[in-house]
Amino acid sequence: MTSLESYYNDIWNQVKQQIIEKQKYEPFVYQTYVEQTKLIDLNDTKAIISTQRIMDALVLQEDKEIFSEILSNILKRDIQCQFVHESEYVKKQEAISQMVQTEPVIHDNVLPDFTFENFVIGDSNKEAHAAALACAYKPGKFYNPLFIYGDSGLGKTHLMYAIGNYIKNNYPEKKILYIPASEFIDRFYIATKNKNINEFKAEMNMLDVLLVDDIQILAGKDKTNELFFQIYNSLVNNRKQIILTSDKPPLELNDIEERLISRFSSGLSVTINSPEFETRLQILKMKLSSKKNDFSTLCDEESLSYIATNCTGDIRALEGMLNRLVYYSINFGNGQTVNLDFTIEALKDVIANPNVNKNNVSPSFIINTVANYYGLTKQQILSKSRMKAITTARHISMYLCRKHLDMPFKKIGSTFKCDHTTVISACEKIEKLLKDDTQYKIAVGEIENKLN
């Protein structure tokens, strides 16, 4: 039995134990249908379970949600179970055996939906994207290891999958494995328990590309650190590509062996930051067009800008808001194109105070602050007056709304009752003055201090 099979058996025994404890079936029903089942295949979203009889598979497939829920809780990710007769599994194993008679089977775990083509590039991630593409283009030649770090939900795993998919398409002979560090620890534990550690090392060492997600989870796991060090050295010495991700750079990792930290630092470390407004907007457009029914014409530009302005965190949160809006539109939109008012209504429980950031800075607060600084009133700034002092204050207010609130130009124009091209021109003018005129730089700096 391989370490992978042992890992599957251990997981499925946990599922069956919970089925018994939660009394999901009467004892004789459990013994008839469930007791002899086996987990035979598993990836990030799906589990294949074999049964001894065709009827068993048909019966249990009707109850697949029971098993899916329990397995998802154990693995801490959404998994759908599928039950098949063991003869299907035998045929599959025989086919694999004919193709590869001496090597253990490795499932790459690379999800096909994440590619370089649907990764939105911006200032926050362009360095990481370029490095990832280089590693995919020539595995093991440029940066080894490539260490990508940044907060959760910014696209690190997307880049890992993109590397895996590019290599699968262009170098089909190469053996690839994507594995979260938590699963690496689990598999090491099972291999140790079943005394299959050498087999596990052999499976790892036969890889051409190893993608390990959330490497910081190895902290404090001394024996796992030792095994990973051996596997790492074997792969790098044989010019095999290693990609690692973490929530912090190598030198800030705690409770991981110094020799591993040294090796992580020997390659290229690149970071991914929170996406800027333009990147967030493009991500929303990409997500809309990639949905099953292509919702790219569902939302107008102003609605997407509203989401991009008010969601400055990770990409998962951004997608969550978009999914909520799509759901709301399907159920309550009557097939109409989504506009700003509809978007505000749909997201009112998520975005409680539109255009107010975490410091409670709003357009009104900015305008009043600028007005007070120049001895003017809010009404004067919002007027059509062409007086130089008022025009200057108006332009600075527009610039600060754009800078501090990430407001779309069109929305700023609506606030100041002017065309969005006027806002663009005003912001560009202030940006130029800040570079060339010390007086403007001091004035804007003092106003910003008051905002903070």
Side-chain angles (χ1 to χ4, degrees), residues 272-290:
I272 295 183
N273 296 309
S274 295
E276 55 287 334
F277 171 80
E278 288 77 9
T279 304
R280 296 197 299 271
L281 185 60
Q282 289 306 311
I283 289 171
L284 288 170
K285 291 179 179 178
M286 174 73 79
K287 295 291 184 185
L288 272 182
S289 63
S290 65

Side-chain angles (χ1 to χ4, degrees), residues 71-87:
L71 184 56
S72 297
N73 289 334
I74 291 173
L75 296 178
K76 294 180 172 54
R77 64 179 190 267
D78 289 333
I79 299 289
Q80 288 297 314
C81 292
Q82 179 182 349
F83 292 86
V84 298
H85 182 224
E86 65 179 5
S87 63

Side-chain angles (χ1 to χ4, degrees), residues 222-237:
D222 294 341
K223 292 183 179 179
T224 312
N225 274 221
E226 172 62 33
L227 176 68
F228 189 78
F229 178 79
Q230 296 174 24
I231 293 169
Y232 178 97
N233 279 345
S234 174
L235 293 178
V236 170
N237 290 340

Side-chain angles (χ1 to χ4, degrees), residues 202-335:
E203 287 185 15
M204 295 293 108
N205 288 334
M206 66 181 280
L207 294 169
D208 296 297
V209 182
L210 176 61
L211 308 150
V212 183
D213 217 350
D214 293 323
I215 196 70
Q216 75 275 1
I217 294 176
L218 291 185
K221 306 291 191 302
D222 294 341
K223 292 183 179 179
T224 312
N225 274 221
E226 172 62 33
L227 176 68
F228 189 78
F229 178 79
Q230 296 174 24
I231 293 169
Y232 178 97
N233 279 345
S234 174
L235 293 178
V236 170
N237 290 340
N238 286 291
R239 301 185 68 81
K240 308 300 184 181
Q241 182 68 58
I242 295 179
I243 313 289
L244 308 170
T245 70
S246 170
D247 60 358
K248 58 189 70 173
L251 295 178
E252 293 182 17
L253 293 172
N254 298 318
D255 296 326
I256 290 181
E257 289 188 11
E258 284 296 325
R259 56 182 180 172
L260 271 179
I261 300 295
S262 174
R263 279 158 177 77
F264 295 166
S265 304
S266 67
L268 175 67
S269 297
V270 290
T271 186
I272 295 183
N273 296 309
S274 295
E276 55 287 334
F277 171 80
E278 288 77 9
T279 304
R280 296 197 299 271
L281 185 60
Q282 289 306 311
I283 289 171
L284 288 170
K285 291 179 179 178
M286 174 73 79
K287 295 291 184 185
L288 272 182
S289 63
S290 65
K291 288 186 178 296
K292 186 175 181 181
N293 295 319
D294 187 358
F295 288 96
S296 55
T297 59
L298 171 72
C299 303
D300 63 17
E301 184 86 7
E302 198 170 17
S303 296
L304 295 180
S305 295
Y306 174 75
I307 298 175
T309 296
N310 287 281
C311 184
T312 58
D314 63 53
I315 296 168
R316 294 191 189 106
L318 197 68
E319 187 171 10
M321 283 194 187
L322 185 62
N323 288 337
R324 180 182 174 90
L325 181 60
V326 170
Y327 164 82
Y328 203 84
S329 173
I330 291 172
N331 288 278
F332 308 106
N334 298 319

Side-chain angles (χ1 to χ4, degrees), residues 21-166:
E21 291 173 356
K22 295 179 180 181
Q23 299 181 347
K24 296 293 186 180
Y25 294 96
E26 294 176 76
F28 75 93
V29 176
Y30 175 88
Q31 292 169 5
T32 302
Y33 295 110
V34 182
E35 193 170 56
Q36 300 303 318
T37 58
K38 291 182 180 180
L39 174 64
I40 58 174
D41 201 356
L42 175 68
N43 59 33
D44 271 13
T45 60
K46 188 176 182 180
I48 306 296
I49 299 96
S50 73
T51 64
Q52 291 189 336
R53 298 175 301 178
I54 294 176
M55 179 57 69
D56 296 355
L58 295 174
V59 170
L60 293 176
Q61 188 65 19
E62 292 296 314
D63 292 338
K64 64 179 181 180
E65 294 305 324
I66 296 174
F67 296 86
S68 298
E69 181 181 357
I70 294 174
L71 184 56
S72 297
N73 289 334
I74 291 173
L75 296 178
K76 294 180 172 54
R77 64 179 190 267
D78 289 333
I79 299 289
Q80 288 297 314
C81 292
Q82 179 182 349
F83 292 86
V84 298
H85 182 224
E86 65 179 5
S87 63
E88 296 180 36
Y89 175 53
V90 171
K91 291 177 183 177
K92 178 181 177 182
Q93 291 298 95
E94 289 175 350
I96 293 173
S97 179
Q98 290 175 3
M99 292 186 292
V100 184
Q101 295 185 355
T102 59
E103 297 178 341
V105 178
I106 290 185
H107 303 275
D108 59 54
N109 295 331
V110 175
L111 297 184
D113 295 337
F114 297 88
T115 65
F116 285 114
E117 286 76 14
N118 60 24
F119 184 85
V120 178
I121 306 168
D123 290 340
S124 58
N125 59 30
K126 61 184 180 183
E127 183 182 2
H129 173 270
L133 185 56
C135 290
Y137 185 65
K138 291 290 183 182
K141 302 294 183 183
F142 294 117
Y143 314 118
N144 210 10
L146 174 61
F147 194 102
I148 307 172
Y149 64 94
D151 291 337
S152 177
L154 299 182
K156 303 188 299 294
T157 302
H158 186 139
L159 279 180
M160 293 190 99
Y161 285 141
I163 292 169
N165 282 311
Y166 185 94

Side-chain angles (χ1 to χ4, degrees), residues 389-412:
I390 295 176
T391 301
T392 298
R394 185 183 301 128
H395 289 172
I396 290 175
S397 297
M398 292 177 179
Y399 167 78
L400 293 175
C401 283
R402 178 67 176 170
K403 178 180 178 181
H404 288 273
L405 302 181
D406 256 351
M407 287 176 67
F409 292 119
K410 189 174 180 180
K411 185 66 176 175
I412 297 173

